[in-house]
Amino acid sequence: LNQSLFRERSIALAAGSVEVSLTSGVGILFEGPGQLEFLSERKAHLHSGQAVVHVPKGSGTFELETSATLLGDQGTEFGAKITHGMGTEIQVFDGHVMASSHDEKKRQFLPQRIDAGDAVRIVMNGHTDFERITYSPNRFLRHKDIPPGIEWPHETQKNGTNVFKKSRH
């Protein structure tokens, strides 16, 4: 994670997507419109929008907070989306996620295991409901494919000098 991004602690997108790699090895593909706040190298809060979190083997655990707390262990890939009613949709691609949500009536956390190939919606309606929804491989953007650049047919002039200056970035 870039140090200036960590100082700012959050990303807000009006549209589009951004891929973030943390120094722990965790990768997050965040899609807007939305806001993602980094609480530490091992914890983030998704205020709005959607994110896919990839926790590679050997990198420990990562916690993503929404209306629920999602804990992904090594070798896990999962997506979370904040719904219009401020609930959360969760889909697990690899491994499993432990999801818990605060139930206002019972005043306790209710942990639920969500395995690869499963999807749930957490509905906040005075008490917490975990509702199974159909797994859809296209529900989340999982990879940001960057197309190759446009080939410029005349990169050098006839005298051998470059048409464009060398990139510094």
Side-chain angles (χ1 to χ4, degrees), residues 13 17 25-26 32 61 63 68 80 96 115 126 128 136 165:
L13 294 176
S17 62
V26 172
T61 59
E63 189 174 316
H96 71 275
D115 292 311
T128 305
S136 173
K165 293 181 181 178

Side-chain angles (χ1 to χ4, degrees), residues 31-101:
E31 236 184 309
Q35 181 183 8
L36 178 65
E37 178 183 8
F38 296 96
L39 304 174
S40 74
E41 278 291 315
R42 302 233 171 256
K43 189 175 186 177
H45 186 104
L46 181 63
H47 293 277
S48 55
Q50 62 185 40
V52 171
V53 177
H54 175 70
V55 185
K57 292 186 183 200
S59 65
T61 59
F62 186 81
E63 189 174 316
L64 182 67
E65 292 181 349
T66 64
S67 56
T69 299
L70 312 174
L71 186 63
D73 205 353
Q74 321 181 40
T76 300
E77 184 179 13
F78 65 94
K81 178 191 303 188
I82 306 300
T83 62
H84 292 294
M86 297 311 287
T88 303
E89 287 184 4
I90 305 159
Q91 183 164 291
V92 180
F93 300 102
D94 291 315
H96 71 275
V97 170
M98 293 304 293
S100 59
S101 182

